[in-house]
Amino acid sequence: MKWTFSGIEAQNLLGNDPEACLLDPVLVKENPVRKVFKCGKFFVKQDFRFFNGLKSEFRHAMQLEKHHVPCVKHLAVSRNMLITLAEENTVELGSFLRENTPSDAMLESFCGFIELMIKSRMRHTDLHSGNVLYDPEKNAFLLVDLRSASIPLKCFASKPGIYMHLAMELRRDLPKEKIYKLLIACKSSSPETDFDIMLNQETVNILASWKKRRQQILTGYRKFVRRRDDLVMPADAPEDISNAQIISGNGKDYLLLHHYLELNHIPHRKVWAVTDDKIYLAPMPAGEAPELDALSSDFGMRLALCGIPSTANDWVKTDNNLLFVNLQTALNSINLMEL
């Protein structure tokens, strides 16, 4: 197999036959045409389509590196395989945001990351939180999956809107005022107006794509769900659900609602697993009690755009100041099997 290396250092690390050092592969991601494996300190992307874009992704990575855009180190590529260096302390930004509220220091670093990408004139047609890695220890960000990224002529550079949509993905646990600062880093001259416009756009897009996504969830597409015995679990649910609260109801409806709120970045009490008639919900933190201060945020506005009415009473505030919506309120408002 013919390999192209990013440099002498990569060739010395992998040797003349990189496949020989890819031991004990662990499947990380999979779809009908592509697989990603973790092999020790490397990630390996396999794609057996003839026109798979792996070599283009490799060239784009070399180009971005020259323009000082932080991205995962691409080491070598063949016709059907791409090898990158595993960044051990990083996590997908989307996954991090599902479990953590961004700190002010993280937001400041993220603003710098966005400004650097804009300064580089990078064009990216698939920029979202799943293609960004975050290192909590270094408080730094890296781009990954660079097939849709390049440095074109200035007139073909990405418009600020693509970065604004990325910034909007941090809104799950943030009030609008903090998102405004991110939008300003994205060159927004009117962050209040842009926030409202993009919130409407994204809601419309999710509604338009929901029929397809709903079918993928119900048929077990691995991007969304996984199975364990008779349980169906969201893909990012913890392995140990022994401390979950179990309630009865239509499992499919709860599972769909969980994913619908995830796609809209609306905080909610997480569904960890379902059967046909049982729902396993994330436990409520000790000492929790409803508080009527949720109106200070924009969560009600987000729900209203989805056709879900709410009041402050529908929101629960945890001891660590995280808010989430009562799932039953949303279930009573919309029928996700018909949307």
Side-chain angles (χ1 to χ4, degrees):
M1 186 180 296
K2 184 178 180 180
W3 288 88
T4 301
F5 297 90
S6 61
I8 297 299
E9 184 179 345
Q11 189 167 4
N12 289 338
L13 181 63
L14 294 169
N16 292 326
D17 181 16
E19 287 185 87
C21 65
L22 302 178
L23 305 176
D24 302 320
V26 177
L27 184 64
V28 176
K29 291 183 179 180
E30 179 183 20
N31 64 36
V33 297
R34 178 177 292 186
K35 294 182 180 180
V36 179
F37 297 92
K38 175 80 183 298
C39 302
K41 56 184 178 180
F42 307 110
F43 277 107
V44 181
K45 185 184 292 184
Q46 280 189 314
D47 193 322
F48 292 98
R49 292 174 294 181
F50 188 79
F51 298 105
N52 55 45
L54 294 182
K55 290 189 175 181
S56 294
E57 180 175 346
F58 186 78
R59 289 195 302 271
H60 294 165
M62 301 301 101
Q63 190 181 38
L64 291 174
E65 191 174 299
K66 289 180 181 178
H67 284 77
H68 308 292
V69 177
C71 55
V72 169
K73 184 70 176 176
H74 286 58
L75 301 175
V77 67
S78 68
R79 191 174 74 83
N80 298 115
M81 296 178 68
L82 176 67
I83 303 176
T84 60
L85 191 65
E87 300 288 344
E88 295 298 338
N89 297 318
T90 61
V91 61
E92 280 189 4
L93 177 59
S95 297
F96 181 86
L97 294 174
R98 281 192 286 271
E99 303 297 333
N100 301 275
T101 298
S103 65
D104 288 341
M106 178 182 174
L107 294 178
E108 184 177 347
S109 176
F110 192 65
C111 284
F113 177 65
I114 289 174
E115 290 168 348
L116 199 158
M117 288 191 291
I118 293 175
K119 184 179 179 181
S120 74
R121 303 196 329 270
M122 182 186 75
R123 179 177 176 80
H124 203 307
T125 58
D126 191 29
L127 185 60
H128 56 80
S129 60
N131 285 340
V132 176
L133 298 183
Y134 178 58
D135 186 333
E137 292 186 8
K138 297 180 180 178
N139 191 25
F141 299 86
L142 294 171
L143 280 178
V144 67
D145 199 357
L146 305 177
R147 183 177 53 165
S148 302
S150 61
I151 306 291
L153 296 173
K154 188 174 182 179
C155 59
F156 294 111
S158 283
K159 303 297 183 185
I162 188 67
Y163 301 104
M164 292 183 194
H165 282 293
L166 175 61
M168 289 286 284
E169 292 196 51
L170 276 73
R171 70 182 184 270
R172 182 189 308 273
D173 296 312
L174 296 177
K176 287 190 291 188
E177 290 69 23
K178 290 195 175 183
I179 297 296
Y180 292 162
K181 294 181 180 179
L182 297 180
L183 297 180
I184 291 170
C186 300
K187 308 303 181 186
S188 170
S189 57
S190 179
E192 297 90 347
T193 300
D194 286 333
F195 180 94
D196 291 346
I197 289 173
M198 286 186 291
L199 200 59
N200 277 278
Q201 285 178 347
E202 292 182 18
T203 302
V204 169
N205 291 340
I206 288 169
L207 285 170
S209 66
W210 178 245
K211 183 177 181 180
K212 175 183 176 181
R213 291 179 182 269
R214 179 190 64 197
Q215 190 62 31
Q216 289 175 326
I217 294 164
L218 293 177
T219 55
Y221 186 41
R222 291 191 183 184
K223 180 178 180 179
F224 295 104
V225 298
R226 70 180 194 270
R227 292 185 177 274
R228 193 180 78 190
D229 299 325
D230 62 336
L231 296 176
V232 180
M233 312 174 72
D236 59 348
E239 288 294 330
D240 181 11
I241 61 169
S242 58
N243 61 339
Q245 179 185 352
I246 304 176
I247 62 175
S248 61
N250 187 325
K252 288 182 180 178
D253 283 348
Y254 271 85
L255 186 66
L256 287 173
L257 180 62
H258 165 84
H259 285 292
Y260 186 78
L261 296 177
E262 286 278 294
L263 291 168
N264 281 284
H265 301 281
I266 294 173
H268 61 284
R269 184 133 174 239
K270 295 182 183 302
V271 173
W272 278 356
V274 300
T275 61
D276 286 341
D277 59 353
K278 290 183 181 178
I279 296 97
Y280 297 75
L281 292 175
M284 297 176 72
E288 185 172 317
E291 295 187 20
L292 306 184
D293 61 351
L295 294 179
S296 62
S297 77
D298 64 309
F299 297 148
M301 170 187 172
R302 302 180 201 174
L303 282 175
L305 287 172
C306 301
I308 306 174
S310 67
T311 67
N313 287 317
D314 293 320
W315 294 87
V316 175
K317 184 174 182 180
T318 67
D319 289 343
N320 56 354
N321 292 323
L322 293 178
L323 291 159
F324 56 75
V325 71
N326 183 323
L327 291 177
Q328 193 61 50
T329 298
L331 276 177
N332 290 337
S333 304
I334 57 173
N335 189 339
L336 287 165
M337 300 297 288
E338 295 179 357
L339 278 181

